[in-house]
Amino acid sequence: MGKIILEMKNITKEFPGVKALDNVNLQVEEGEIHALVGENGAGKSTLMNVLSGVYPYGTYSGDIIYNGEVCKFTKIKDSEEKGIVIIHQELALVPLMSIGENMFLGNEKGSKNHVDWNKTYQEADKYLKMVGLTDSSHTLIKDIGTGKQQLVEIAKALAKQARLLILDEPTSSLNEEDSKALLDLMLEFKKQGMTMIIITHKLNEVVYVADKITIIRDGSTVGGMDCKKDVIDEAHIIKGMVGREITDRFPKRHDVTVGDISLEVKDWSVEHPIYAGRKVVDHVNFNVKSGEVVGIYGLMGAGRTELSMSIFGQSYGANIKGKLFIKGREKVLKSPREAINEGLAYVTESRKVNGLILSNSIKINTTLANMKDVSTNNVIDADKEYAAAVEYKEKLRTKTPTVEQNVGNLSGGNMQKVLLAKWMFANPDILILDEPTRGIDVGAKYEIYCIINDLVKEGKSVVMISSELPEVIGMSDRIYVMNEGRFVAEMPSDQATQENIMAAIIQSGKGR
């Protein structure tokens, strides 16, 4: 057994009405990659927020022992000075500032009254090289992709002389290629002696990089695994996480009748809203029928979100051209409200930014898209609003003591359920789900898959966009493959394999 660099003993953390952590224990050896797994709301991120000082000493009970020293962090700066650096799931970068500025924001190089910009950018370039990023540190954050932004966050952590690096869902916004590159970078850091804790719901990543695994369920430590000694597979981890075996990750659909075409898009083109003439969607044609789940897969930047948002009341893009038909009738939808009125819903990929009002309650968020059904003479009926929120809380099995709770206090999976509830309450005929299971655990994913199956059983149409190939293949009746703004293949689910889909993308790239 190696040196224990971190020990968290009997950590208990309570919020009003909820015990988030209940005597949790964690031991991490120096130089290992330690995976922390559990369902949404299990307490993983809360535990790491305790460790990093986001929740200061005095707001929890228990001990943090780091390098043999009992630590009482009252702010993030305290933990960073010890070499403990956390990279949160939501990237904390300023889009209109350069990479170098972001890397040393709050930790500026120079004197008290003067920033040494030459030193700033020299240091930034040095750490960018360490993570394999070749972009200049003068480049603005908005001009690089999500994968590169994640590398900037890691370079920023290295610049703080990180000895213990905590990565919370580091690949949730990345495609498979970028995810693999990031995991390989972690393995390279391990060779150099760095200690890491990774929180991820992608269990294949746990199997790929982890030396040890700690499982948290309902705020308590329920077990651990040593990947060097034990034979670890995803089914083994899932059973520990959810307390039961999930033999079929994608529930089968039964008694579903596929009907007529409900949504059809013809020759659809969209230009970038800032860069005039740059096409992000290029003459796309597709359709979805009632009772059908149609998947759209593509690598990051393929144009999937841009396509769906432009369809949803032209909420993205410029110079939009093409025809859109709903139930056989051509429609021109110039706003999200017009799209909603025509029975169309768009569940955004960014639930925290565009999907929900985090400072408002579950009750208010649930009814936002269909306030007329909880109003009388344009005045909201509080009893109707409450009853609707409770109905969908129970229907979607959202974990919360009350619908009066602020959405911002929920776990990612429960936030996603509120977002789905919001659009289900609007009673749309066609739902576009953009990354509906991003950043949520396998148990919550299964529940959302069941909700999707229930929707199509009712005769709804579902368009599902996902960066996870197994999910697209496991849930779709038909799949469209998108690359560089175009649809480059269409295939029924029984012909869809990961190899076929990736081959379509690669071949289309060669032909440009």
Side-chain angles (χ1 to χ4, degrees):
M1 186 172 180
K3 175 189 172 185
I4 301 296
I5 191 173
L6 170 70
E7 188 170 10
M8 301 183 76
K9 299 172 73 172
N10 304 317
I11 302 295
T12 298
K13 170 68 179 171
E14 295 189 30
F15 297 103
V18 180
K19 184 176 276 191
L21 298 172
D22 187 6
N23 285 306
V24 171
N25 294 284
L26 174 68
Q27 279 191 344
V28 179
E29 285 185 31
E30 189 172 35
E32 76 175 5
I33 298 177
H34 197 110
L36 198 58
V37 301
E39 294 187 273
N40 283 102
K44 307 179 300 296
S45 294
T46 302
L47 184 66
M48 293 299 97
N49 284 335
V50 166
L51 171 59
S52 61
V54 172
Y55 298 136
Y57 178 76
T59 65
Y60 63 88
S61 62
D63 293 315
I64 298 170
I65 303 167
Y66 180 70
N67 266 334
E69 177 188 351
V70 176
C71 297
K72 300 177 180 180
F73 303 134
T74 59
K75 54 186 179 297
I76 293 176
K77 196 86 172 172
D78 293 346
S79 63
E80 289 183 346
E81 286 175 355
K82 297 285 186 182
I84 301 171
V85 182
I86 185 168
I87 300 174
H88 294 280
Q89 182 177 351
E90 310 294 334
L91 300 181
L93 299 172
V94 183
L96 294 177
M97 293 177 71
S98 70
I99 292 173
E101 288 173 309
N102 271 277
M103 282 179 58
F104 293 100
L105 190 61
N107 187 30
E108 286 79 7
K109 295 294 176 184
S111 63
K112 186 176 180 180
N113 299 312
H114 174 72
V115 176
D116 186 334
W117 291 112
N118 287 333
K119 188 175 182 181
T120 296
Y121 287 113
Q122 285 172 4
E123 287 284 299
D125 285 331
K126 179 178 78 174
Y127 289 108
L128 292 178
K129 187 177 180 181
M130 291 172 65
V131 300
L133 196 57
T134 57
D135 297 69
S136 166
S137 56
H138 291 271
T139 306
L140 297 184
I141 290 293
K142 73 177 183 65
D143 294 331
I144 61 175
T146 308
K148 290 183 177 181
Q149 289 181 25
Q150 189 72 63
L151 292 178
V152 171
E153 283 280 21
I154 294 174
K156 183 177 175 182
L158 296 179
K160 294 176 181 177
Q161 308 303 314
R163 293 184 59 203
L164 173 60
L165 183 61
I166 305 162
L167 300 104
D168 191 352
E169 296 289 350
T171 66
S172 64
S173 299
L174 305 184
N175 61 40
E176 292 189 15
E177 184 181 351
D178 286 341
S179 296
K180 173 70 162 48
L182 179 56
L183 296 174
D184 287 338
L185 183 63
M186 289 177 63
L187 292 171
E188 184 59 37
F189 287 157
K190 186 180 83 166
K191 289 179 185 177
Q192 298 169 18
M194 183 177 286
T195 308
M196 284 162 281
I197 298 173
I198 180 172
I199 300 172
T200 179
H201 292 116
K202 297 180 181 180
L203 301 185
N204 61 312
E205 297 180 355
V206 174
V207 174
Y208 186 69
V209 300
D211 298 300
K212 290 205 179 75
I213 301 168
T214 294
I215 300 171
I216 296 181
R217 186 165 72 233
D218 297 329
S220 300
T221 313
V222 296
M225 303 174 190
D226 188 331
C227 303
K228 297 171 187 171
K229 298 177 182 176
D230 306 323
V231 177
I232 307 296
D233 59 22
E234 293 183 35
H236 191 183
I237 302 170
I238 290 167
K239 188 174 181 181
M241 284 171 56
V242 302
R244 65 189 189 279
E245 289 187 14
I246 297 181
T247 53
D248 192 347
R249 300 276 286 277
F250 305 102
K252 297 290 186 283
R253 283 195 288 278
H254 302 287
D255 304 320
V256 175
T257 302
V258 177
D260 297 328
I261 292 173
S262 57
L263 172 69
E264 185 170 18
V265 171
K266 291 184 176 180
D267 204 28
W268 196 261
S269 293
V270 181
E271 291 183 3
H272 194 284
I274 297 175
Y275 303 108
R278 182 173 135 195
K279 279 189 180 177
V280 291
V281 179
D282 190 1
H283 298 287
V284 161
N285 296 276
F286 81 98
N287 65 71
V288 58
K289 300 171 184 174
S290 62
E292 184 181 41
V293 178
V294 166
I296 299 178
Y297 178 80
L299 302 179
M300 197 69 63
R304 301 163 305 166
T305 295
E306 292 82 353
L307 168 65
S308 54
M309 289 182 68
S310 64
I311 291 169
F312 186 64
Q314 300 186 13
S315 50
Y316 174 90
N319 198 22
I320 298 171
K321 294 180 180 177
K323 294 184 177 182
L324 184 148
F325 299 85
I326 295 178
K327 297 181 179 177
R329 294 188 176 184
E330 185 175 354
K331 302 289 181 179
V332 178
L333 308 177
K334 294 184 177 179
S335 69
R337 173 50 57 192
E338 289 184 15
I340 293 168
N341 291 342
E342 292 293 342
L344 190 61
Y346 171 63
V347 179
T348 175
E349 65 175 340
S350 54
R351 54 182 174 254
K352 288 188 176 182
V353 178
N354 298 324
L356 299 166
I357 302 175
L358 302 184
S359 58
N360 278 357
S361 67
I362 295 167
K363 177 184 71 177
I364 290 173
N365 276 276
T366 300
T367 58
L368 268 178
N370 186 21
M371 297 183 73
K372 68 180 189 309
D373 277 12
V374 291
S375 301
T376 303
N377 297 324
N378 293 322
V379 176
I380 292 174
D381 185 321
D383 291 336
K384 284 184 179 179
E385 187 178 44
Y386 183 83
V390 169
E391 178 188 347
Y392 279 92
K393 167 190 173 290
E394 293 172 353
K395 186 181 290 187
L396 273 61
R397 292 188 288 187
T398 308
K399 291 181 182 177
T400 178
T402 171
V403 295
E404 301 288 357
Q405 185 173 20
N406 279 0
V407 169
N409 294 332
L410 298 178
S411 67
N414 289 304
M415 279 189 193
Q416 193 68 25
K417 288 182 180 180
V418 175
L419 183 57
L420 282 169
K422 165 184 162 182
W423 288 110
M424 288 169 68
F425 181 64
N427 196 29
D429 296 316
I430 304 151
L431 291 96
I432 302 173
L433 310 180
D434 195 349
E435 302 285 6
T437 66
R438 171 174 287 170
I440 63 176
D441 67 78
V442 66
K445 281 184 178 183
Y446 189 87
E447 291 180 347
I448 287 175
Y449 298 150
C450 291
I451 292 165
I452 292 171
N453 285 353
D454 290 342
L455 289 168
V456 293
K457 191 174 181 179
E458 294 171 10
K460 311 285 189 188
S461 304
V462 173
V463 177
M464 189 174 77
I465 298 167
S466 176
S467 296
E468 295 188 33
L469 261 177
E471 179 174 83
V472 173
I473 294 169
M475 286 300 296
S476 303
D477 297 301
R478 284 185 298 127
I479 298 168
Y480 290 98
V481 183
M482 193 171 193
N483 189 38
E484 296 180 352
R486 299 177 300 131
F487 278 2
V488 297
E490 177 189 353
M491 56 188 77
S493 59
D494 58 1
Q495 294 177 18
T497 64
Q498 295 195 34
E499 292 77 13
N500 288 346
I501 290 172
M502 292 309 299
I505 292 173
I506 292 166
Q507 291 300 321
S508 68
K510 289 177 180 177
R512 297 282 308 209

